Amino acid sequence: MKSRRLATILTSAYLSAMLASSVAPIRSSATFAAAVDPLAAQKALQNAMNGLNAAGWAPASASTPVAVPPVVIASSDNPPPKPDPVMTEELMARLIKYTRSIQGTGTVTARICKVLDLCDGTKDMPLKLAKSDSTDGIHYFGLPLDVDSRDILIMVKHNTVVEAYLTDKTATLRAAAVLENGTAHLITNERAAEKFKAELSLFAGEAATLPPTGNAATGNS
């Protein structure tokens, strides 16, 4: 930076002298030569310019370094969470095929099947039942014994409370009910939507471990 400032001072002096010579009255060539030696000034200017690069700036080594932000690499110890499984027609077909193949039957209490309009309420309703291995309560996927029925009953039991969701192979919630304190009652689809979605996701994960069917399920449509 000293050389650049020197160049500026000398240049200004040289230009000032030249400007004065062109504007002020010329007394004599000897007076101008005594004030500024043109050859000396030009040499000093050349020496100063040698300290600058081609663009007229100080060399890079004299410049302030630019900080480069560090590159952050995501740790493999904290991978992004996997999305929840989503029920599809194929996964539903696998569940239906698997549940139909189960030997024996289970039942759903008459109080639930009555409020869902699946029975007259005089006795428990027999179902083909598949059970999830999830530790969060007991989860059931149920099919009526009639192979032509379109109904699918998904249920989850937490202690003495049973939540039941009526659907079909389209995975559309048609009705929902809760059994608590010995009494079953309907709940709105809007209120049941999130829990029903969670049950579908759970059974979609279970179905992903089953063999592909190759075809969409027939019945329960």
Side-chain angles (χ1 to χ4, degrees), residues 157-215:
K157 182 178 181 183
H158 298 285
N159 297 321
T160 60
V161 178
V162 178
E163 300 165 359
Y165 307 97
L166 180 62
T167 184
D168 50 49
K169 76 173 185 179
T170 66
T172 301
L173 179 60
R174 290 162 45 199
V178 173
L179 174 65
E180 52 188 344
N181 301 322
T183 303
H185 58 89
L186 292 172
I187 58 175
T188 64
N189 287 359
E190 291 76 16
R191 178 182 169 188
E194 284 301 314
K195 289 186 177 180
F196 173 63
K197 180 180 178 181
E199 291 301 306
L200 284 180
S201 180
L202 182 147
F203 278 106
E206 298 281 10
T209 65
L210 297 175
T213 63
N215 297 290

Coordinates of all heavy atoms in Angstrom, one line a residue, residues 157-215:
K157 N -57.5 -52.2 20.3 CA -57.9 -52.3 21.7 C -56.8 -51.8 22.6 O -55.6 -52.2 22.5 CB -58.2 -53.7 22.1 CG -58.7 -53.9 23.5 CD -59.0 -55.3 23.8 CE -59.5 -55.5 25.2 NZ -59.8 -56.9 25.6
H158 N -57.1 -50.7 23.4 CA -56.2 -50.2 24.4 C -56.9 -50.4 25.7 O -57.9 -49.8 26.1 CB -56.0 -48.7 24.2 CG -55.3 -48.4 22.8 ND1 -54.0 -48.6 22.6 CD2 -55.8 -47.8 21.7 CE1 -53.7 -48.2 21.4 NE2 -54.8 -47.7 20.8
N159 N -56.4 -51.4 26.5 CA -57.0 -51.7 27.8 C -58.4 -52.2 27.6 O -58.6 -53.2 26.9 CB -56.8 -50.6 28.8 CG -55.4 -50.2 29.1 OD1 -54.6 -51.1 29.2 ND2 -55.1 -48.9 29.2
T160 N -59.4 -51.4 28.1 CA -60.8 -51.8 27.9 C -61.5 -51.0 26.8 O -62.7 -51.2 26.6 CB -61.5 -51.6 29.3 OG1 -61.5 -50.2 29.7 CG2 -60.9 -52.5 30.4
V161 N -60.8 -50.1 26.1 CA -61.4 -49.3 25.1 C -61.1 -49.9 23.7 O -59.9 -50.3 23.4 CB -60.8 -47.9 25.2 CG1 -61.4 -47.0 24.0 CG2 -61.2 -47.2 26.5
V162 N -62.1 -50.1 22.9 CA -62.0 -50.6 21.6 C -62.4 -49.6 20.6 O -63.5 -49.0 20.7 CB -62.8 -51.9 21.4 CG1 -62.7 -52.4 20.0 CG2 -62.4 -53.0 22.4
E163 N -61.6 -49.3 19.6 CA -61.9 -48.4 18.5 C -62.1 -49.2 17.2 O -61.2 -50.1 17.0 CB -60.8 -47.3 18.3 CG -60.6 -46.5 19.5 CD -59.3 -45.7 19.5 OE1 -58.6 -45.8 18.5 OE2 -59.0 -44.9 20.4
A164 N -63.1 -49.0 16.5 CA -63.4 -49.8 15.3 C -63.7 -48.9 14.1 O -64.3 -47.8 14.2 CB -64.7 -50.7 15.5
Y165 N -63.1 -49.3 13.0 CA -63.2 -48.5 11.7 C -63.7 -49.4 10.6 O -63.1 -50.4 10.3 CB -61.8 -47.9 11.4 CG -61.2 -47.1 12.5 CD1 -60.3 -47.7 13.3 CD2 -61.6 -45.8 12.8 CE1 -59.7 -47.0 14.4 CE2 -61.0 -45.1 13.9 CZ -60.1 -45.7 14.6 OH -59.5 -45.1 15.7
L166 N -64.8 -48.9 10.0 CA -65.4 -49.7 8.9 C -64.9 -49.1 7.6 O -65.0 -47.9 7.3 CB -66.9 -49.6 8.9 CG -67.7 -50.4 7.9 CD1 -67.4 -51.9 7.9 CD2 -69.2 -50.1 8.0
T167 N -64.3 -50.0 6.7 CA -63.8 -49.5 5.5 C -64.0 -50.6 4.4 O -64.7 -51.6 4.6 CB -62.3 -49.2 5.6 OG1 -61.8 -48.6 4.4 CG2 -61.5 -50.3 6.0
D168 N -63.3 -50.5 3.3 CA -63.3 -51.5 2.2 C -62.0 -51.5 1.6 O -61.0 -50.8 2.0 CB -64.5 -51.4 1.3 CG -64.6 -49.9 0.7 OD1 -63.5 -49.4 0.3 OD2 -65.6 -49.3 0.7
K169 N -61.8 -52.2 0.4 CA -60.5 -52.3 -0.1 C -60.0 -50.9 -0.7 O -58.8 -50.8 -1.1 CB -60.4 -53.4 -1.2 CG -61.1 -53.0 -2.5 CD -60.8 -54.2 -3.5 CE -61.3 -53.8 -4.9 NZ -61.0 -54.9 -5.9
T170 N -60.9 -49.9 -0.8 CA -60.4 -48.6 -1.3 C -59.8 -47.8 -0.1 O -59.3 -46.7 -0.4 CB -61.6 -47.8 -1.8 OG1 -62.5 -47.5 -0.7 CG2 -62.3 -48.6 -2.9
A171 N -59.8 -48.4 1.1 CA -59.2 -47.7 2.3 C -59.9 -46.4 2.6 O -59.3 -45.5 3.2 CB -57.7 -47.5 2.1
T172 N -61.2 -46.3 2.3 CA -62.0 -45.1 2.6 C -62.8 -45.4 3.9 O -63.4 -46.4 4.1 CB -63.0 -44.8 1.5 OG1 -62.3 -44.6 0.2 CG2 -63.9 -43.6 1.8
L173 N -62.7 -44.4 4.8 CA -63.4 -44.6 6.1 C -64.9 -44.4 5.9 O -65.3 -43.3 5.5 CB -62.8 -43.6 7.1 CG -63.5 -43.6 8.5 CD1 -63.3 -45.0 9.2 CD2 -62.9 -42.5 9.4
R174 N -65.6 -45.4 6.2 CA -67.1 -45.3 6.0 C -67.8 -45.0 7.3 O -68.9 -44.3 7.3 CB -67.6 -46.6 5.4 CG -67.2 -46.8 4.0 CD -67.3 -48.2 3.5 NE -68.6 -48.9 3.9 CZ -68.8 -50.2 3.9 NH1 -67.8 -51.0 3.5 NH2 -69.9 -50.7 4.2
A175 N -67.3 -45.5 8.4 CA -67.9 -45.3 9.7 C -66.9 -45.6 10.8 O -66.0 -46.4 10.6 CB -69.2 -46.1 9.9
A176 N -67.1 -45.1 12.0 CA -66.2 -45.3 13.1 C -67.0 -45.4 14.4 O -68.0 -44.7 14.6 CB -65.1 -44.3 13.2
A177 N -66.5 -46.3 15.3 CA -67.2 -46.4 16.6 C -66.2 -46.7 17.7 O -65.1 -47.1 17.5 CB -68.2 -47.6 16.5
V178 N -66.6 -46.4 18.9 CA -65.8 -46.6 20.1 C -66.6 -47.4 21.2 O -67.8 -47.0 21.4 CB -65.3 -45.3 20.7 CG1 -64.6 -45.5 22.0 CG2 -64.4 -44.6 19.7
L179 N -66.0 -48.4 21.8 CA -66.6 -49.1 22.9 C -65.8 -48.8 24.1 O -64.6 -49.0 24.2 CB -66.5 -50.6 22.6 CG -67.0 -51.5 23.7 CD1 -68.5 -51.3 24.0 CD2 -66.7 -53.0 23.4
E180 N -66.5 -48.1 25.1 CA -65.9 -47.8 26.3 C -66.9 -47.8 27.4 O -68.1 -47.4 27.2 CB -65.2 -46.4 26.3 CG -66.1 -45.3 25.8 CD -65.4 -44.0 25.5 OE1 -64.2 -43.9 26.0 OE2 -65.9 -43.1 24.8
N181 N -66.5 -48.2 28.6 CA -67.4 -48.4 29.8 C -68.6 -49.2 29.4 O -69.7 -49.0 29.9 CB -67.9 -47.0 30.3 CG -66.7 -46.1 30.7 OD1 -65.7 -46.6 31.3 ND2 -66.8 -44.8 30.4
G182 N -68.4 -50.2 28.6 CA -69.5 -51.2 28.2 C -70.5 -50.7 27.2 O -71.5 -51.4 26.9
T183 N -70.3 -49.4 26.7 CA -71.2 -48.9 25.7 C -70.5 -48.5 24.5 O -69.4 -47.9 24.5 CB -71.9 -47.6 26.3 OG1 -72.5 -47.9 27.6 CG2 -72.9 -47.0 25.4
A184 N -71.1 -48.8 23.3 CA -70.6 -48.5 22.0 C -71.3 -47.3 21.4 O -72.6 -47.2 21.6 CB -70.7 -49.7 21.1
H185 N -70.6 -46.4 20.8 CA -71.3 -45.3 20.1 C -70.5 -44.9 18.9 O -69.3 -45.1 18.8 CB -71.4 -44.1 21.1 CG -70.1 -43.6 21.7 ND1 -69.4 -42.7 21.1 CD2 -69.5 -44.0 22.8 CE1 -68.3 -42.4 21.8 NE2 -68.3 -43.2 22.9
L186 N -71.2 -44.3 17.9 CA -70.5 -43.8 16.7 C -69.7 -42.5 17.0 O -70.1 -41.8 17.9 CB -71.5 -43.5 15.6 CG -72.3 -44.8 15.0 CD1 -73.4 -44.3 14.1 CD2 -71.3 -45.7 14.3
I187 N -68.7 -42.3 16.3 CA -68.0 -41.0 16.3 C -67.9 -40.6 14.9 O -68.0 -41.3 13.9 CB -66.6 -41.2 16.9 CG1 -65.7 -42.2 16.2 CG2 -66.6 -41.5 18.4 CD1 -64.3 -42.3 16.7
T188 N -67.7 -39.3 14.7 CA -67.7 -38.7 13.3 C -66.4 -39.1 12.6 O -65.4 -39.4 13.2 CB -67.7 -37.2 13.4 OG1 -66.6 -36.7 14.0 CG2 -69.0 -36.7 14.1
N189 N -66.5 -39.2 11.3 CA -65.4 -39.6 10.5 C -64.3 -38.5 10.6 O -63.1 -38.9 10.6 CB -65.8 -39.7 9.0 CG -66.6 -41.0 8.7 OD1 -66.9 -41.8 9.6 ND2 -67.0 -41.1 7.5
E190 N -64.6 -37.3 10.8 CA -63.6 -36.2 11.0 C -62.8 -36.5 12.2 O -61.6 -36.3 12.2 CB -64.3 -34.8 11.0 CG -64.9 -34.4 9.7 CD -66.2 -35.1 9.3 OE1 -66.8 -35.7 10.3 OE2 -66.6 -35.0 8.2
R191 N -63.5 -36.8 13.3 CA -62.8 -37.1 14.6 C -62.0 -38.3 14.5 O -60.9 -38.4 15.1 CB -63.9 -37.2 15.7 CG -63.3 -37.5 17.1 CD -64.4 -37.7 18.1 NE -63.9 -38.2 19.3 CZ -64.7 -38.6 20.3 NH1 -66.0 -38.5 20.2 NH2 -64.1 -39.1 21.4
A192 N -62.4 -39.3 13.7 CA -61.7 -40.6 13.7 C -60.6 -40.6 12.6 O -59.8 -41.5 12.6 CB -62.7 -41.7 13.4
A193 N -60.5 -39.6 11.8 CA -59.7 -39.6 10.6 C -58.2 -39.9 10.9 O -57.6 -40.7 10.2 CB -59.8 -38.3 9.8
E194 N -57.6 -39.2 11.9 CA -56.2 -39.3 12.1 C -55.9 -40.7 12.7 O -54.9 -41.3 12.3 CB -55.8 -38.2 13.1 CG -55.6 -36.9 12.5 CD -54.6 -36.8 11.4 OE1 -53.5 -37.4 11.5 OE2 -54.9 -36.3 10.3
K195 N -56.7 -41.2 13.6 CA -56.4 -42.5 14.1 C -56.6 -43.6 13.1 O -55.9 -44.6 13.0 CB -57.3 -42.8 15.3 CG -56.9 -42.0 16.6 CD -57.7 -42.4 17.8 CE -57.2 -41.6 19.0 NZ -58.0 -42.0 20.2
F196 N -57.6 -43.4 12.2 CA -57.8 -44.4 11.1 C -56.6 -44.4 10.2 O -56.2 -45.5 9.8 CB -59.1 -44.0 10.4 CG -59.4 -44.8 9.2 CD1 -59.6 -46.2 9.2 CD2 -59.4 -44.2 7.9 CE1 -59.8 -47.0 8.1 CE2 -59.6 -45.0 6.8 CZ -59.8 -46.4 6.8
K197 N -56.1 -43.2 9.9 CA -54.9 -43.1 9.0 C -53.7 -43.9 9.6 O -53.0 -44.5 9.0 CB -54.6 -41.7 8.8 CG -53.4 -41.4 7.9 CD -53.1 -40.0 7.7 CE -51.9 -39.7 6.8 NZ -51.6 -38.2 6.7
A198 N -53.6 -43.7 11.0 CA -52.5 -44.4 11.7 C -52.7 -45.9 11.6 O -51.7 -46.7 11.4 CB -52.4 -43.9 13.1
E199 N -53.9 -46.4 11.7 CA -54.1 -47.9 11.6 C -53.8 -48.4 10.2 O -53.2 -49.4 10.0 CB -55.6 -48.2 12.0 CG -55.9 -48.0 13.5 CD -55.0 -48.8 14.4 OE1 -55.0 -50.0 14.2 OE2 -54.4 -48.2 15.3
L200 N -54.3 -47.6 9.2 CA -54.0 -48.0 7.8 C -52.4 -48.1 7.6 O -51.9 -49.0 6.9 CB -54.6 -47.0 6.8 CG -56.1 -47.0 6.6 CD1 -56.5 -46.0 5.6 CD2 -56.5 -48.4 6.1
S201 N -51.7 -47.1 8.1 CA -50.3 -47.1 8.0 C -49.6 -48.3 8.6 O -48.7 -48.9 8.1 CB -49.7 -45.8 8.6 OG -48.3 -45.7 8.4
L202 N -50.1 -48.6 9.8 CA -49.6 -49.8 10.5 C -49.8 -51.1 9.7 O -48.9 -51.9 9.6 CB -50.3 -49.9 11.9 CG -49.8 -51.0 12.8 CD1 -49.9 -50.6 14.3 CD2 -50.6 -52.3 12.6
F203 N -51.0 -51.3 9.2 CA -51.3 -52.5 8.5 C -50.6 -52.4 7.1 O -50.3 -53.5 6.5 CB -52.8 -52.7 8.3 CG -53.4 -53.3 9.6 CD1 -54.2 -52.6 10.5 CD2 -53.2 -54.7 9.8 CE1 -54.7 -53.2 11.6 CE2 -53.7 -55.3 11.0 CZ -54.5 -54.5 11.9
A204 N -50.4 -51.3 6.5 CA -49.6 -51.2 5.3 C -48.2 -51.7 5.5 O -47.7 -52.4 4.7 CB -49.6 -49.8 4.8
G205 N -47.6 -51.3 6.6 CA -46.3 -51.8 7.0 C -46.3 -53.3 7.2 O -45.4 -54.0 6.7
E206 N -47.3 -53.9 7.8 CA -47.5 -55.3 7.9 C -47.6 -56.0 6.5 O -47.0 -57.0 6.3 CB -48.7 -55.7 8.8 CG -48.6 -55.2 10.2 CD -47.7 -56.0 11.1 OE1 -47.0 -56.9 10.6 OE2 -47.7 -55.8 12.3
A207 N -48.4 -55.4 5.7 CA -48.7 -56.0 4.4 C -47.5 -56.0 3.5 O -47.3 -56.9 2.6 CB -49.8 -55.3 3.7
A208 N -46.6 -55.0 3.7 CA -45.4 -55.0 2.9 C -44.5 -56.2 3.1 O -43.6 -56.5 2.2 CB -44.6 -53.7 3.2
T209 N -44.7 -56.9 4.2 CA -43.9 -58.1 4.4 C -44.5 -59.4 3.8 O -43.9 -60.5 3.8 CB -43.7 -58.4 5.9 OG1 -44.9 -58.6 6.5 CG2 -43.1 -57.1 6.6
L210 N -45.7 -59.2 3.3 CA -46.5 -60.4 2.7 C -46.1 -60.5 1.3 O -45.7 -59.6 0.6 CB -48.0 -60.2 2.9 CG -48.5 -60.1 4.3 CD1 -50.0 -59.8 4.3 CD2 -48.2 -61.4 5.1
P211 N -46.2 -61.7 0.7 CA -45.9 -62.0 -0.7 C -46.9 -61.2 -1.6 O -48.1 -61.0 -1.3 CB -46.2 -63.5 -0.9 CG -46.1 -64.1 0.5 CD -46.6 -63.0 1.4
P212 N -46.4 -60.6 -2.7 CA -47.3 -59.9 -3.7 C -48.4 -60.8 -4.2 O -48.2 -62.0 -4.4 CB -46.3 -59.5 -4.8 CG -45.0 -59.5 -4.2 CD -45.0 -60.6 -3.2
T213 N -49.5 -60.3 -4.5 CA -50.6 -61.1 -5.0 C -50.6 -61.2 -6.5 O -51.1 -62.1 -7.1 CB -52.0 -60.4 -4.6 OG1 -52.1 -59.1 -5.2 CG2 -52.1 -60.3 -3.1
G214 N -50.0 -60.1 -7.2 CA -50.0 -60.1 -8.6 C -51.3 -59.6 -9.2 O -51.4 -59.2 -10.4
N215 N -52.4 -59.6 -8.4 CA -53.7 -59.1 -8.9 C -54.3 -58.4 -7.7 O -54.1 -58.7 -6.5 CB -54.6 -60.2 -9.4 CG -54.0 -60.9 -10.6 OD1 -53.9 -60.4 -11.7 ND2 -53.5 -62.2 -10.4

